Structures are given as structure tokens and as C-alpha cells.
Amino acid sequence: MIQIDKSLVNALKESESIVFFTGAGISSESGIPTFRGKDGIWNKLRPEELANFDAFIKNPIMVWEWYNHRKKIVHEAQPNAAHLTISEMQNYFKDVIVITQNIDNLHRRAGSNAIYELHGNIERNFCIDCKKFFNEELDFSVGVPKCDCGGLIRPDVVWFGEYLPEDQFLGGEKAAINADVFFVVGTSAVVYPAVGLVYTAKQSGATVVEVNLEKTALSSISNYSFFGKAGEILPRILEEYRLSIKS
Ligand code: BV8
Ligand code: ZN
């Protein structure tokens, strides 16, 4: 049985604002491949080579094939115990806020209400010329879908070299500054400026709790590190918290 430090449970008992900063690792138990290692490779190309505007302009069909492949996996996936535990924690704390790098919509489908999507959402699309949004199913029968203005339609996700949506980043930053306990779940902590928010939380006095399969650059600044599956560890933490408020 995964041991949960009593001091962490006590920290939770004194907390109002709980924040979860998540990456691809939290969705891997839902069957969604992560980015690193062999999982991330598509067509012998690394995510950084596909998730960028130049690649899209050079070969929009190939980039859309990648996103449609991922969208199919996301639609067949279900939120797992980690997503569901975060949603359930809304019944115990004033603020439970999610700051995610994931574009898979699984936190929302799990019932989390306060979500900052730093890197966009695969369910939304917009025209690269007039910025008009298209959230219905797109028609690929005649090649890359085009807007009525003639512009190419792209997924509403943040590509490498592109700025993050300001409202989402600033919202995440405010949540990081006000966090009592800041969980970091399933991220290799390499992509910026997203990961910078963990340091913002630390500098603002939050208790940082890392939940990851392996050590990361954040292990050294974490007050607690749990190395294992998020879908097993997060339910254990909530269970110990629930037992502590009963007694
Ligand atoms: C920008 C959306 C300004 C698209 C994504 C400073 C220093 C160095 C580099 C930079 C810097 N500033 C900017 C850069 C460049 C770049 C960057 O950070 N590069 C990295 C690679 C070094 N950043 C940018 O380009 C950003 N924009 O800076 O704009 C600008 C503007 C103009 C000119 C210059 C600058 C935009 C970055 C956003 C890119 N879009 N996603 C899409 O998804 O298709 S990033 C994408 O990759 C994800 O969103 C996520 O952020 C990242 C993947 O990381 P993770 O989610 O952590 O996943 P990963 O697979 O790596 O790790 C999973 C972890 O989970 C592992 O540790 C594993 O052990 C663990 N795990 C697995 N299973 C489980 C588990 N843990 C628990 N339980 C399990 N079951
Ligand atoms: Zn248009």
C-alpha cells in the first residue's frame, strides 16, 4: 500500500486552494500516448517537428493526419482514476484548480470545473486567416478543411514557437501564486513557459507535491515526491485525507 505522509495530510487539512499542474502522464492510464520516448514518435517525426506552424504550412495534410489520429484516441478514451480523484476533491476544498498542458479535454470530461488549458484543446479549430472558430466535426473529404474566407483551418492548440493563450497563462499564474498545495502530475517538466508556473508556486510558498513515474527536474524542489502511477497514488492521497477528517 502506498504510504502517504501524515504531514502531507495535515497540510491538506489546513488548505483551501489546491492546484493540479498536469502533463501527458496523467492521461497515459486512459490509453493516450505520452510525448517522450517511442510513444511520441509519429511518421518518424518528433512532436516538436509536427507541432509547429511551418510544418503545417509545408504539409497541412500530414499535420492534420497526426491530430486526427490523436483525436480518435482521445474520443475512445475515458478519464481515469487520477482525473476523477481531482474532480472529486472539489467536494472537499474551496478551490481545486487544474492547470494542464494536455489538449485531450479529459479533465473537463472528469467533471473538473476550474481548468486552465495552457496548450489549447484538440476539440476546437480556427481559421489561420480570419481566426473564425469551427468546433463542429470538420470535413476532410476534399483535403484540408478551408474556411469560407479561403483560409486553412487548424486545431486550436499551441505549437512550438507560439505564445500561450494569455488568459489561460495569467489565470494559471494567479492560481500558482495563491496555491496552498500544488500537485505536479505526469509531466517530464521540459516545456516552457508552462513549467515555469511550478517555480512560481514554490516561490509563493506552496507545498509542492510531485506524482510521476520517474524523477524530473522538479524532484529537487518538491516537498513530497511519489514515484508511481497517478491513477494509483492520487486516490490514495484522497483516501488518507478523507480518513483524517473523519477521525
Ligand atoms: C513559446 C500542444 C514564446 C500541441 C505543446 C526556455 C527554455 C528552453 C526552451 C524554450 C524556452 N522557452 C521557449 C522554449 C521553446 C519551447 C520549449 O519549451 N521547448 C522544449 C522542448 C525545450 N517552448 C515553446 O515553443 C512554447 N512557446 O515559448 O513561445 C516564443 C514565441 C516565439 C519565439 C520564441 C518563443 C510553446 C510550447 C507548447 C508546445 N505545445 N502541446 C500538441 O499537443 O500537439 S507541448 C506538449 O509537449 C505538451 O503539451 C507538453 O507540454 C509537452 C509534453 O510534455 P509532458 O506533458 O510532460 O509529457 P512527456 O511525455 O514529456 O512526459 C510524461 C511524463 O509522465 C514522464 O515523466 C513520465 O514518466 C510520466 N508518466 C507516464 N505515465 C505516468 C506518468 N506519471 C504518472 N502516472 C503515469 N501513469
Ligand atoms: Zn477564415
Side-chain angles (χ1 to χ4, degrees):
M1 176 114 91
I2 302 158
Q3 290 314 307
I4 308 299
D5 311 54
K6 209 92 207 85
S7 57
L8 171 56
V9 174
N10 292 337
L12 287 169
K13 287 168 85 171
E14 283 139 29
S15 296
E16 286 195 337
S17 178
I18 311 292
V19 175
F20 289 87
F21 178 85
T22 68
I26 199 170
S27 296
S28 68
E29 291 162 74
S30 296
I32 299 184
T34 63
F35 279 70
R36 303 295 123 181
K38 63 173 187 15
D39 270 358
I41 300 303
W42 167 269
N43 253 359
K44 302 190 186 44
L45 292 170
R46 287 177 303 104
E48 289 87 343
E49 293 166 298
L50 286 156
N52 70 66
F53 191 75
D54 304 343
F56 180 71
I57 294 304
K58 228 177 21 256
N59 191 340
I61 287 277
M62 177 189 69
V63 171
W64 261 119
E65 275 172 3
W66 186 47
Y67 281 99
N68 285 340
H69 167 73
R70 294 170 64 188
K71 200 184 273 191
K72 190 168 166 299
I73 295 173
V74 163
H75 289 169
E76 287 155 6
Q78 293 300 325
N80 63 59
H83 301 105
L84 297 169
T85 298
I86 294 173
S87 160
E88 204 178 336
M89 287 178 90
Q90 296 174 129
N91 306 327
Y92 297 90
F93 297 92
K94 182 167 115 359
D95 295 328
V96 177
I97 298 166
V98 172
I99 305 172
T100 190
Q101 301 166 80
N102 302 342
I103 63 174
D104 61 27
N105 220 29
L106 289 183
H107 283 295
R108 187 170 285 104
R109 287 171 54 192
S112 284
N113 304 322
I115 304 171
Y116 294 106
E117 296 173 318
L118 298 179
H119 295 161
N121 186 309
I122 200 167
E123 303 295 350
R124 295 191 304 259
N125 313 289
F126 68 91
C127 166
I128 63 174
D129 295 347
C130 71
K131 311 301 181 215
K132 184 177 169 200
F133 269 85
F134 296 80
N135 296 343
E136 69 282 1
E137 225 28 60
L138 297 170
D139 165 18
F140 286 84
S141 58
V142 289
V144 172
K146 288 228 172 67
C147 169
D148 21 284
C149 81
L152 288 176
I153 296 174
R154 62 166 281 177
D156 181 22
V157 298
V158 179
W159 283 331
F160 288 94
E162 293 185 330
Y163 290 102
L164 278 53
E166 196 171 11
D167 60 337
Q168 301 299 304
F169 187 78
L170 293 178
E173 192 171 49
K174 191 160 155 286
I177 291 165
N178 298 330
D180 297 312
V181 178
F182 192 93
F183 288 89
V184 181
V185 185
T187 185
S188 58
V190 295
V191 172
Y192 284 77
V195 171
L197 293 177
V198 183
Y199 295 91
T200 302
K202 182 72 179 179
Q203 281 138 20
S204 309
T207 298
V208 175
V209 183
E210 179 181 37
V211 177
N212 210 60
L213 271 185
E214 61 200 340
K215 277 174 84 63
T216 72
L218 297 172
S219 305
S220 57
I221 68 159
S222 298
N223 302 88
Y224 302 89
S225 285
F226 296 91
F227 297 114
K229 291 185 169 184
E232 294 166 5
I233 293 164
L234 291 185
R236 277 288 301 128
I237 293 173
L238 178 55
E239 188 182 11
E240 288 300 326
Y241 170 79
R242 251 207 295 252
L243 288 171
S244 75
I245 57 174
K246 266 217 205 74
S247 51

